[in-house]
């Protein structure tokens, strides 16, 4: 994707670095002092890019991705709300990823020189009239995307019920990680857990392996999962550490060879370079009473694999 497609803007209200894509949709650029980088589109509130301080892209985007609303782009971190997957009456993964979000001026971004040294942007989504026709619930969805001084990427979602009656939803951060070779990747932290297998009508199984490795299609919801898991990329000698709060499940997905050929916006061989590991509330819905607010947090960090020992012993994240 050539930077020639972008127009650089600066929003004087927020001092954010804003670029405008070729559809005229704003994207916010976050930078850390050491050179890490993230880019967030107001289309879907979707993180499109996350690079480390060496300039390496850490999120996968399909070479056949369609960058045209209302379709969500295949890659990055689409926000799945108010439905995860297709286990409901709405379009797959809900409508939040297909809507145009707004900058949230009531919650100004954190100063880049604050105690946490984070570069942040705050976005907000409220339902349109069309949304209320298909999902008749009043909500305010606030999303804060931050890049820490160490280059960690964090997403904090706050969903408030501004309705007169309770509503329930499912949710997921549909995170496309970039990997060197899927056959050289393993996930640690999900051993011995129960999972629902979407390839077997959501039948419940128990994970038997010491770590999860990949040699065929995988589409599983690991339930009641720990708040820290690790994705080890043997070839690149790097590890993604995934920390989450408020999201009990981890969804693991790779379409493998056969299914890849049937996905329009996905290359036939691209399954080898990606893995989705989603912090989610997928097995059981979250219910909010009027006035209640739910918070779901995700933090992604990238560390050399040799330095990974001990990460899974750490307690919950602080964002």
């Amino acid at each position: 994707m050539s930077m020639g497609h972008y127009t650089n803007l600066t929003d004087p209200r927020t001092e954010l670095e804003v670029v405008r894509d070729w559809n005229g949709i704003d994207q916010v650029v976050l930078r850390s002092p050491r050179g890490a980088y993230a880019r967030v589109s107001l289309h879907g509130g979707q993180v499109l890019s996350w690079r480390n301080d060496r300039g390496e892209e850490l999120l996968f985007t399909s070479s056949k991705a369609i960058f045209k609303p209302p379709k969500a782009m295949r890659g990055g971190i689409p926000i799945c709300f108010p439905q995860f997957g297709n286990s409901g009456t709405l379009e797959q993964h809900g409508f939040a990823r297909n809507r145009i979000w707004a900058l949230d001026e009531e919650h100004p971004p954190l100063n880049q020189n604050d105690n946490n040294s984070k570069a942040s942007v705050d976005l907000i989504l409220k339902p349109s009239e069309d949304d209320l026709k298909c999902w008749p619930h009043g909500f305010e969805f606030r999303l804060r995307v931050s890049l820490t001084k160490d280059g960690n990427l964090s997403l904090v979602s706050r969903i408030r019920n501004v309705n007169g009656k309770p509503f329930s939803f499912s949710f997921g951060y549909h995170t496309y990680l970039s990997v060197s070779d899927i056959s050289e990747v393993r996930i640690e932290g999900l051993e011995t857990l129960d999972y629902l297998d979407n390839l077997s009508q959501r039948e419940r199984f128990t994970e038997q392996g010491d770590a999860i490795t990949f040699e065929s299609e995988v589409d599983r919801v690991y339930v009641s999962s720990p708040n820290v898991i690790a994705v080890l990329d043997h070839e690149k000698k790097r590890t993604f550490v995934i920390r989450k709060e408020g999201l009990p499940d981890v969804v693991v997905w790779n379409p493998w060879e056969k299914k890849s050929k049937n996905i329009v916006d996905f290359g036939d061989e691209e399954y080898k370079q990606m893995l989705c590991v989603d912090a989610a509330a997928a097995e059981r819905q979250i219910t909010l009473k009027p006035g209640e607010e739910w918070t779901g947090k995700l933090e992604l960090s990238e560390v050399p694999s040799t330095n990974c020992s001990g990460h899974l012993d750490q307690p919950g994240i602080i964002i």
Side-chain angles (χ1 to χ4, degrees), residues 2 77 186 212 216 256 289 292 299 314:
S2 165
I77 310 179
R186 73 180 194 271
I212 299 167
S216 60
W256 218 254
K289 296 172 186 169
E292 275 191 332
E299 183 173 74
Q314 293 182 11

Side-chain angles (χ1 to χ4, degrees), residues 114-128:
D114 74 356
N115 293 334
N116 295 317
S117 298
K118 289 181 180 177
S120 299
V121 62
D122 290 281
L123 304 180
I124 187 167
L125 178 69
K126 297 178 182 179
S128 67

Side-chain angles (χ1 to χ4, degrees), residues 263-292:
I263 302 174
V264 174
D265 56 347
F266 193 80
D268 289 357
E269 300 288 317
E270 287 187 326
Y271 71 92
K272 297 174 182 176
Q273 272 75 57
M274 58 73 67
L275 176 63
C276 283
V277 184
D278 308 344
E283 183 197 20
R284 293 191 183 92
Q285 290 194 320
I286 294 157
T287 299
L288 290 179
K289 296 172 186 169
E292 275 191 332

Side-chain angles (χ1 to χ4, degrees), residues 178-186 232-236 256 271-274:
S178 175
V179 300
S180 53
D181 180 350
I182 187 63
S183 64
E184 298 285 326
V185 171
R186 73 180 194 271
L232 290 79
D233 187 333
H234 179 71
E235 193 171 304
K236 283 200 170 151
W256 218 254
Y271 71 92
K272 297 174 182 176
Q273 272 75 57
M274 58 73 67

